[in-house]
């Protein structure tokens, strides 16, 4: 897949999980190990302080520690795309400025949340942030969390004016995703990433430039193979790899939904899998989320074994 | 695409629009013309009395007239899949029985609506209907209208027990769509259709057996080419055809949203395009929907011309 | 409460439940008994074929039997307000015409459902139905079922033009309810009813003309006392009665939510209470809803005993 | 209304707006003037850094300036209830600790947001915050912003264990509001406040202890009269005052919804009214919200004049 528009960013850019030690502190050694695991798996970038990195749960001090640690571990090998996760414009600008100082190559910015915004405010939000920081910005479309859908029209306007360098789409709206791809495919340097782990083959077939897979923490090499197959035009192989990864993704359904929240289930499964793989030591979650238990870990280990990851 | 599980239904099965004359009556001649247009375009079945057929707006007499007319026009050339669209179980059974008597080869059944159901009731609903009618049943997953998502677990249970012969998915949830495909792909004779016009290439890449495209009223041959390319494993061609069809789909965005409802915009655009193509005479909508106007028709004609349909 | 605008309808108009015998047939004798129970409790009207009457679950034959039975049992003592429950305009007109022939004094009509309507279509819907039938029409605002909120602006326009004679509000939006009251209070003959059982005192304080309480099947006299106290300006007594009724309303929370749907819990509780009160013989629900079980019945009986209803 | 349970907080506690000067800075003099306006209107407390105070739009420095300014202006005359508005638990704890240091008598805490929480996490969230800070905490139920409803069960559990001292309810769910009132009315010292400006009379009739009205910025004395009438058992007077305040509330509907977001319309109207009343100089909003324009100001002035506020 030689992308005709020369995207600045493409490939597999997983949102890095944030391991904690049993006492709840950031596990710095574990975090470095995750970075090595990802880079040796062939990822083309690291998305730091994303939802999968538990960013809404981290204190400011913890956020700084995470970025600093990953930046040092990465040592410039791949681009660092860092979340500037705050409710509204001026707060995002302050957070983003800090992240750039700590080493971010690009920022990931959502629509305002805890706010009751309209489309004009969403557009003004991104424009003000870019004007203030003059850095590469990805718009992160995640209505399940912000409860605002970034419209295709707004995204295209921002893309055409160079306000954003790409979109990370976790909207679950495959129709608007395709329309965004069609509307931006001639914009030099622009990229569109899907955040949905189990439909990457179709997204790439439709022209997407890459994927930001939470599950990529567990199987970075699988996503890289999927991307490479699609880039080579071998979609049959891409689909086969995607089917296997969809089976791996079943780890997120192993937690007991009566006990574990939707937010904790997926992230807890990723951490638990990384423990099973020997990458980190502990599947501790941020307060107030609960940790996955032994029977859930056993189920996850079984899936990993079955899908060739153990 | 030789499907390994020998699906009983596959390919392109568009939901047939219901043309009306200027005075609001069912346009019987126009409906026959639409059927010819579709069959000569290569469709593999006809979905009668779907949402695109304005089924919720048709009186009982009109519904019977539509099915009878299409059945006569089709003359057995392709299977007739007919909507039995009623609020809950016993009403669906009565409606479905009538449709089978009028010529339906299979029925399309949604979850209950105007009801406050749980998963067990949804499952019992489909089981009761199948037990009463003993006919092929497609589960139609359309939460934008019923406000209930058919869960993968329920669909799989119904599929494994032979209660349903397939699913028509208009859920807009591509993640659960892929999981449904994976979970049912070994069930002999079962099929999964997508109802989303602009992501068919990706759906077929993931293993879907076909598409029920409203836009197929306008360009049945395009969807057939897309299906055939995917069936032959030529996904590059499929994606190219899909991109063109996504551009055709822009006709549904031409109506003025301050004047035309979401329901009327798409269906009105399909009818207006059929007028422009000379298939029917009038783009009249059911009460209380408004008809598209001249400027909207002009915009639609321009898109059709640009995409090779005029 | 001498209402300054002389509403044609006011007071307590409960939505009559539809008892079934153990084999699932409409329990005609039980239905007559419910009517006597309600009229001796002092209700000022009967709402037939409402959501609490399981209207979406009744076949056409059953709907006719219910209306005919209630009409005969009532024998003209109180007005019959009958639901004409169908998806869209022309179907409502056919259903409404039948109901008027069977004895309806007024019709209850929702916004279109299973449709994707806008405000203009909603308004046209009510206007077309009134023009066709020339009968008293209540707009029933129940977005939890139709997924469309009837706006204050639309309701006021319809009220001012005499298209609707009242609104039954089950929207759960107390802000718009108050605004509707303020905007319509000078319209001669118009009424606004709340459908929410536990906030009737506040609704009446704000100027509402009455209540359509599902729980009124169980305690019609309690709601009549509440209404009479408020009408006399004795809101302290009204609030005390409301508090007791709110405790009675706890019967709807006794069913096990893992087994019983939201729709079945409330209606099942009303029927089960009527069995405990000796009004009907059986708490059978319509297919596919499940019946409340013995332990749920025991819990309901305890609440009835505690609140003076046994 | 001598509340039987001796609530620690009761009456009228408006969420103080945050005026800005034309250049976008916090208007410290204006903020002090608002505090005087409110206290002379008879409010019984001040809710600082609420949604009406534009808290999600304020930088950390601005938040500190607002609290410090209000604390100084208040000079201990009424309790300061301060929002600790952050995404999740540990961030709320840090924010709350700072607010207590700056003078908060109590904190207002929402459920987690930008998170995908379950009920257990919501409960653990409040417990952890109270354990860490040992200060009076109001749970703020505002699902329109957090997209999580605080359940009655969770609120009652927290109330019974002394974790929260009260609830501020902006849920728009009047049924659960009444149930919360009934379930907590015997808990010594506990209070329930409604956040809905136009249904305060009914809320007080049902046993609420007070109101947190955004509109109280504009007419604090009106809300105080409403509260006092209800407290004296004179609900006819309370309802009459409420009707007038509901008319004042129409100022929030004057902005053009094609231009002004839902978030900006209400707050902009409050600020514009305060300018018309001569309390502040400028109706400037936080970035990225737009300011109300002259024609909107004219409409607001007309409503104020008509309702006796000019």
């Amino acid at each position: 897949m030689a992308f005709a528009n020369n995207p600045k960013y493409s490939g597999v850019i997983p949102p890095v999980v944030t391991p904690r030690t049993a006492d709840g502190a950031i596990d710095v050694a574990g975090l470095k190990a995750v970075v090595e695991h990802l880079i040796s798996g062939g990822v083309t970038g690291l998305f730091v302080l994303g939802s999968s990195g538990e960013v809404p749960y981290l204190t400011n001090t913890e956020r700084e520690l995470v970025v600093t640690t990953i930046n040092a571990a990465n040592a410039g090998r791949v681009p660092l795309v860092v979340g500037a996760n705050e409710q509204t414009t001026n707060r995002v600008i302050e957070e983003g400025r800090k992240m750039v100082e700590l080493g971010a190559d690009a920022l990931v910015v959502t629509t305002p949340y805890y706010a009751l915004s309209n489309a004009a405010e969403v557009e003004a939000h991104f424009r003000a942030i870019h004007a203030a920081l003059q850095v590469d910005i990805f718009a992160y479309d995640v209505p399940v969390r912000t409860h605002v859908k970034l419209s295709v029209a707004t995204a295209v306007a921002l893309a055409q004016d160079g306000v954003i360098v790409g979109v990370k789409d976790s909207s679950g709206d495959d129709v608007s995703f395709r329309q965004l791809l069609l509307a931006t495919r001639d914009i030099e340097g622009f990229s569109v990433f899907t955040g949905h782990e189990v439909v990457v083959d179709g997204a790439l077939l439709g022209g997407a430039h890459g994927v930001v897979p939470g599950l990529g923490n567990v199987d970075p090499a699988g996503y890289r193979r999927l991307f490479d197959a699609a880039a080579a035009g071998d979609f049959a192989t891409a689909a086969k790899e995607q089917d296997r990864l969809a089976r791996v993704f079943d780890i997120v359904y192993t937690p007991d939904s009566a006990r574990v929240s939707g937010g904790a289930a997926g992230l807890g499964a990723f951490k638990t899998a990384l423990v099973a793989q020997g990458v980190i030591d502990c599947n501790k979650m941020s307060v107030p989320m609960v940790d996955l238990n032994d029977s859930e870990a056993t189920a996850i280990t079984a899936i990993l074994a079955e899908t060739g990851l153990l």
Side-chain angles (χ1 to χ4, degrees), chain A residues 84-164:
Chain A
N85 190 278
E86 283 288 344
Q87 294 100 314
T88 66
T89 314
N90 285 333
R91 294 180 68 82
V92 172
I93 290 171
E94 294 203 345
E95 182 81 354
R97 182 172 289 126
K98 190 175 8 172
M99 294 308 154
V100 170
E101 289 166 2
L102 295 176
D105 295 300
L107 297 177
V108 181
V109 173
T110 70
T111 64
Y113 55 85
Y114 195 87
L116 305 172
S117 308
N118 61 9
E121 285 178 9
V122 169
E123 187 168 333
H125 171 75
F126 284 103
R127 290 188 186 277
I129 295 164
H130 184 254
L133 299 180
Q134 297 291 329
V135 65
D136 287 352
I137 293 176
F138 278 86
Y140 180 12
D141 188 21
V142 61
V144 72
R145 292 181 181 275
T146 65
H147 302 277
V148 175
K149 175 79 182 79
L150 179 69
S151 73
V152 172
T154 299
V156 170
L158 295 172
Q160 286 173 333
D161 291 351
V163 174
I164 58 175

Side-chain angles (χ1 to χ4, degrees), chain A residues 216-243:
Chain A
N217 283 283
V218 179
D219 193 3
Y223 279 100
R224 180 59 192 263
R225 285 193 301 271
L226 166 49
F227 179 79
D228 287 347
D234 180 2
F235 284 99
T237 296
K240 203 168 161 188
E241 188 66 41
Q242 178 65 86
D243 282 348

